């Protein structure tokens, strides 16, 4: 529970102040209103650390899938929506999800549509989720839509998990390489340099590679704060640039042109587009609205612009298959399959097949990328260690020859 301060007008018309406990601001306002007060200001004073701030447990994809599946099952079985939501609130183990469902219960109980209640929680329910539920409510097929949504969320989560898993090992190796390099340059190389100079005497000339590495190490040790400032400036500068429109364009274009990453990114975008668009069309959402919603969910600016351009052409009377026919981003199979779907009136079913095909392609590509990245990272680590070893062994070998 959290503590809220409030200012309100009581039933007698007097202005009053005070504090009250509540789960959230909406609950406090509702409680004060039931007491006959008219709250003018409600502010959070102290919150429960377990339920707010940095300690608040987020609603995970697994929680969302489970909630969607259970709600779909209960609605399909004829359980009234209010009763289903109340039951799910009681069973929810995640405090954040329990709070969200509690808010849904109050909104639906107050006469709101389920989609409108979901829309108030954009961090939990995406725009696609809300639009599909809204279309399902309009068509009276909420249970079927929820089943589609659960499948959609599961597929997206599965793809993210595979990508994350494929990048974990190379990421760990790269981090270890960077840490090992700086560790050697700061702590080990200076000691080796002192030893080599002591063995060679005051006038000894070290090989260029060794001297260059010693100079770099000396700079890092003496000017560590400058090195740290440069690294932080590069990191924060890149992050700030990538948040701009031009930065996103450049970054996403580079990714699409990269040999392996470009191919995988394209397949992921096509799989996501076809499955999401299929789900929205199957739910009864108009083509133009489905395109606008889907465009913002692909995570790539270039694909988003391509889809928005196609949506404008559809508004002007073109078929979607014709609008995507000359696309440089979407493979030729997408407009061809769209044309088949438009001719047969089964666009959603046809696109599901395309999505399944590209999801399998993504799985294969990610497996290939993982098997390729691992030896590359090992070679990079070996090259870094070998460079330092060569810088150390070169002068030692030279001094051995001089002794002989």
């Amino acid at each position: 529970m959290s503590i809220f301060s409030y200012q309100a007008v009581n039933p007698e018309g007097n202005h009053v102040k005070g504090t009250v406990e509540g789960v959230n601001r909406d609950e406090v306002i509702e409680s004060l209103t039931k007491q006959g007060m008219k709250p003018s200001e409600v502010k959070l004073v102290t919150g429960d650390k377990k339920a707010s701030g940095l300690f608040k447990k987020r609603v995970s994809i697994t929680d969302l899938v489970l909630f969607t599946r259970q709600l779909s099952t209960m609605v399909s079985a004829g359980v009234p929506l209010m009763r289903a939501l109340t039951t799910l609130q009681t069973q929810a183990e995640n405090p954040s999800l329990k709070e969200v469902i509690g808010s849904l219960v109050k909104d639906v109980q107050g006469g709101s549509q389920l989609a409108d209640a979901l829309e108030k929680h954009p961090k939990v329910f995406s725009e696609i989720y809300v639009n599909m539920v809204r279309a399902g409510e309009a068509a009276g097929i909420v249970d079927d839509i929820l089943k589609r949504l659960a499948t959609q969320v599961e597929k997206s989560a599965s793809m993210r998990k595979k990508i994350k898993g494929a990048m974990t090992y190379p990421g760990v190796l790269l981090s270890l390489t960077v840490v090992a390099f700086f560790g050697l340059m700061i702590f080990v190389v200076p000691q080796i340099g002192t030893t080599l100079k002591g063995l060679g005497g005051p006038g000894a000339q070290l090989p260029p590679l060794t001297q260059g590495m010693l100079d770099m190490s000396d700079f890092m040790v003496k000017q560590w704060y400058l090195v740290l400032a440069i690294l932080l400036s590069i990191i924060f500068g890149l992050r700030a640039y990538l948040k701009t429109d031009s930065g996103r364009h450049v970054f996403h274009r580079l990714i699409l042109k990269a040999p392996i990453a470009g191919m995988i990114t394209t397949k992921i975008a096509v799989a996501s587009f076809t499955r999401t668009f299929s789900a929205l069309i199957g739910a009864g959402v108009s083509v133009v609205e489905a395109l606008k919603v889907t465009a913002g969910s692909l995570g790539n600016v270039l694909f988003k612009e391509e889809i928005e351009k196609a949506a404008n052409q559809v508004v002007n009377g073109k078929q979607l298959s014709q609008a995507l026919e000359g696309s440089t981003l979407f493979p030729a199979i997408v407009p061809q399959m769209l044309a088949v779907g438009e001719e047969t009136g089964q666009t959603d079913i046809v696109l599901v097949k395309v999505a399944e095909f590209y999801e399998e392609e993504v799985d294969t590509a990610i497996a290939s990328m993982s098997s390729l990245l691992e030896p590359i990272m090992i070679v990079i680590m070996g090259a870094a260690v070998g460079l330092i070893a060569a810088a150390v062994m070169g002068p030692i070998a030279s001094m051995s020859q001089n002794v002989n």
Side-chain angles (χ1 to χ4, degrees), residues 1-6 19-37 39 41-44 46 48 51 89 95 98-107 109 120-121:
M1 298 290 282
S2 304
I3 299 176
F4 293 82
S5 66
Y6 68 88
T19 58
V20 65
E21 285 190 351
V23 176
N24 53 45
R25 187 173 179 273
D26 293 336
E27 183 183 274
V28 172
I29 293 174
E30 184 179 352
S31 176
L32 293 172
T33 304
K34 287 181 179 179
Q35 297 174 31
M37 296 187 184
E41 186 178 273
V42 176
K43 290 183 177 180
L44 177 65
T46 58
D48 185 355
Q89 182 188 11
K98 186 185 288 288
E99 183 179 335
V100 169
I101 299 174
S103 176
L104 297 179
V105 170
K106 289 178 182 177
D107 289 338
Q109 194 172 24
K120 294 181 179 180
H121 307 277

Side-chain angles (χ1 to χ4, degrees), residues 238-297:
L238 280 174
R239 288 185 63 183
Y241 178 64
L242 292 177
K243 289 181 180 179
T244 63
D245 291 338
S246 60
R248 283 193 293 268
H249 268 87
V250 171
F251 180 63
H252 291 164
R253 193 177 297 278
L254 287 174
I255 288 178
L256 290 177
K257 287 184 177 180
I260 300 175
M263 177 264 293
I264 294 177
T265 302
T266 299
K267 291 180 185 295
I268 290 172
V270 172
S272 179
F273 166 73
T274 49
R275 183 168 290 281
T276 304
F277 184 74
S278 166
L280 289 169
I281 291 296
V285 180
S286 67
V287 173
V288 175
E289 184 64 27
L291 287 172
K292 290 180 180 178
V293 173
T294 306
S297 67

Side-chain angles (χ1 to χ4, degrees), residues 64-377:
L64 183 60
V65 171
L66 186 61
F67 166 77
T68 309
R69 285 279 185 209
Q70 290 177 337
L71 185 60
S72 168
T73 302
M74 295 176 77
V75 172
S76 299
V79 179
L81 180 60
M82 272 298 303
R83 185 176 175 184
L85 289 172
T86 305
T87 303
L88 291 177
Q89 182 188 11
T90 305
Q91 295 177 351
E93 296 180 359
N94 187 328
S96 296
L97 180 60
K98 186 185 288 288
E99 183 179 335
V100 169
I101 299 174
S103 176
L104 297 179
V105 170
K106 289 178 182 177
D107 289 338
V108 173
Q109 194 172 24
S112 298
Q113 293 288 327
L114 178 59
D116 295 331
L118 295 171
E119 198 171 18
K120 294 181 179 180
H121 307 277
K123 292 184 178 180
V124 180
F125 306 104
S126 65
E127 187 180 359
I128 294 170
Y129 197 108
V130 174
N131 275 275
M132 286 183 66
V133 171
R134 181 170 283 118
E137 287 181 313
I141 52 171
V142 176
D143 55 338
D144 182 53
I145 292 302
L146 289 172
K147 289 177 184 177
R148 287 174 178 251
L149 274 171
T151 303
Q152 174 82 8
V153 175
E154 282 175 338
K155 291 288 184 181
S156 300
S158 175
M159 192 174 295
R160 284 187 198 139
K161 187 176 179 181
K162 288 174 182 176
I163 295 172
K164 187 176 179 180
M167 296 303 296
T168 298
Y169 183 66
V172 170
L173 286 180
L174 180 61
S175 300
L176 289 175
T177 302
V178 172
V179 171
F181 177 78
F182 279 100
L184 289 172
M185 295 298 289
I186 293 172
F187 299 107
V188 179
V189 172
Q191 300 296 329
I192 294 176
T194 303
T195 303
L196 291 176
K197 289 179 181 178
L199 292 172
Q205 292 291 327
L206 296 175
L209 177 62
T210 306
Q211 189 61 52
M213 188 158 293
L214 289 175
D215 291 340
M216 185 186 300
S217 173
D218 186 59
F219 178 79
M220 287 184 178
V221 172
K222 292 181 179 179
Q223 307 289 338
W224 61 269
Y225 52 89
L226 185 58
V227 174
L228 183 62
I230 292 172
L231 289 175
L232 291 176
S233 299
I234 292 173
I235 292 171
F236 287 107
L238 280 174
R239 288 185 63 183
Y241 178 64
L242 292 177
K243 289 181 180 179
T244 63
D245 291 338
S246 60
R248 283 193 293 268
H249 268 87
V250 171
F251 180 63
H252 291 164
R253 193 177 297 278
L254 287 174
I255 288 178
L256 290 177
K257 287 184 177 180
I260 300 175
M263 177 264 293
I264 294 177
T265 302
T266 299
K267 291 180 185 295
I268 290 172
V270 172
S272 179
F273 166 73
T274 49
R275 183 168 290 281
T276 304
F277 184 74
S278 166
L280 289 169
I281 291 296
V285 180
S286 67
V287 173
V288 175
E289 184 64 27
L291 287 172
K292 290 180 180 178
V293 173
T294 306
S297 67
L298 299 184
N300 189 289
V301 175
L302 300 178
F303 273 97
K304 179 183 178 182
E305 292 177 350
E306 192 81 5
I307 294 173
E308 288 175 344
K309 191 197 309 181
N312 292 331
Q313 294 182 35
V314 171
V315 171
N316 293 328
K318 268 192 175 183
Q319 294 281 357
L320 180 57
S321 58
Q322 296 173 341
L324 292 178
E325 195 170 358
S327 172
T328 57
L329 297 178
F330 286 95
I333 188 175
V334 176
Q336 290 172 4
M337 295 299 284
L338 271 169
V340 173
E342 289 165 351
E343 290 174 4
T344 60
Q346 295 182 327
T347 302
D348 57 331
I349 298 174
V350 171
L351 288 183
V352 166
K353 300 296 182 183
V354 177
E356 290 173 350
F357 169 76
Y358 274 99
E359 283 164 358
E360 291 178 3
E361 288 283 302
V362 169
D363 291 344
T364 304
I366 289 175
S368 301
M369 182 184 69
S370 299
S371 60
L372 184 63
L373 280 177
E374 290 175 12
I376 289 176
M377 294 307 303

